[in-house]
Amino acid sequence: MFRVTAVRLAESVSKQPLNLREASAALLPPLPLYRRILRAHRHLPYEMRSLGDDYVRAEFRRHKETTNKVHIIGFLSQWKLYLDQLPAGPDGGKAFRGIPLDPTTLEKMSAEQLGQLYEVMHVTKGVWKPVSPQQDGEAGPDGS
């Protein structure tokens, strides 16, 4: 399905070089990170919030017993990046529509991760429907 090359697999997901000292300084402990994510979800539309809260809870429970330090750092750093991308404040959440997935990140995913992504895609299809200004009760630019 995807052609994966050795060069693509060797590329870093981020364009900045990995500095473990900076990465660990930016990381939050699991429980405060979990709480901050759930607090940030409060500003999202109801459908996005409920789906996001359920997913965050499931992922943190799933990784609760992980002892591999590399996996823990990767897990916490990816959730911290997610938290940083969420809009801050009540006004930002209404306009938030997500962020496109980087193709290199997609190519680096394992079969299990791709399966999870596929499941999330199917779950969100019913929840995530574009809303026209007429459905939202707002007038369009021409006043209609």
Side-chain angles (χ1 to χ4, degrees), residues 1-143:
M1 181 151 76
F2 295 102
R3 285 184 24 183
V4 182
T5 64
V7 174
R8 275 268 158 102
L9 285 174
E11 285 180 358
S12 175
V13 173
S14 67
K15 300 302 177 200
Q16 299 174 350
L18 179 62
N19 183 339
L20 289 178
R21 196 170 311 147
E22 288 177 12
S24 63
L27 291 181
L28 293 170
L31 192 55
L33 178 62
Y34 175 76
R35 289 178 180 156
R36 277 181 146 177
I37 292 169
L38 293 179
R39 278 190 207 111
H41 282 180
R42 291 179 188 166
H43 305 297
L44 296 175
Y46 175 76
E47 294 84 10
M48 291 177 78
R49 178 183 177 182
S50 68
L51 180 68
D53 286 354
D54 290 345
Y55 187 75
V56 169
R57 284 186 188 107
E59 281 296 298
F60 273 78
R61 279 190 196 118
R62 196 174 293 128
H63 291 85
K64 190 175 184 177
E65 303 299 322
T66 302
T67 56
N68 185 330
K69 292 181 182 183
V70 174
H71 289 169
I72 294 169
I73 289 173
F75 178 80
L76 295 176
S77 63
Q78 289 303 311
W79 279 108
K80 178 68 167 81
L81 287 173
Y82 168 74
L83 177 63
D84 293 342
Q85 292 172 350
L86 285 174
D91 298 333
K94 303 302 177 201
F96 182 71
R97 296 292 180 226
I99 297 169
L101 187 62
D102 182 35
T104 57
T105 304
L106 189 64
E107 286 184 3
K108 290 182 179 186
M109 288 184 172
S110 68
E112 181 181 353
Q113 291 170 325
L114 288 171
Q116 286 180 335
L117 185 63
Y118 186 75
E119 288 176 19
V120 169
M121 181 187 73
H122 278 292
V123 168
T124 57
K125 273 188 178 180
V127 173
W128 186 251
K129 294 177 184 165
V131 177
S132 68
Q134 290 79 18
Q135 290 174 329
D136 201 22
E138 298 174 5
D142 59 355

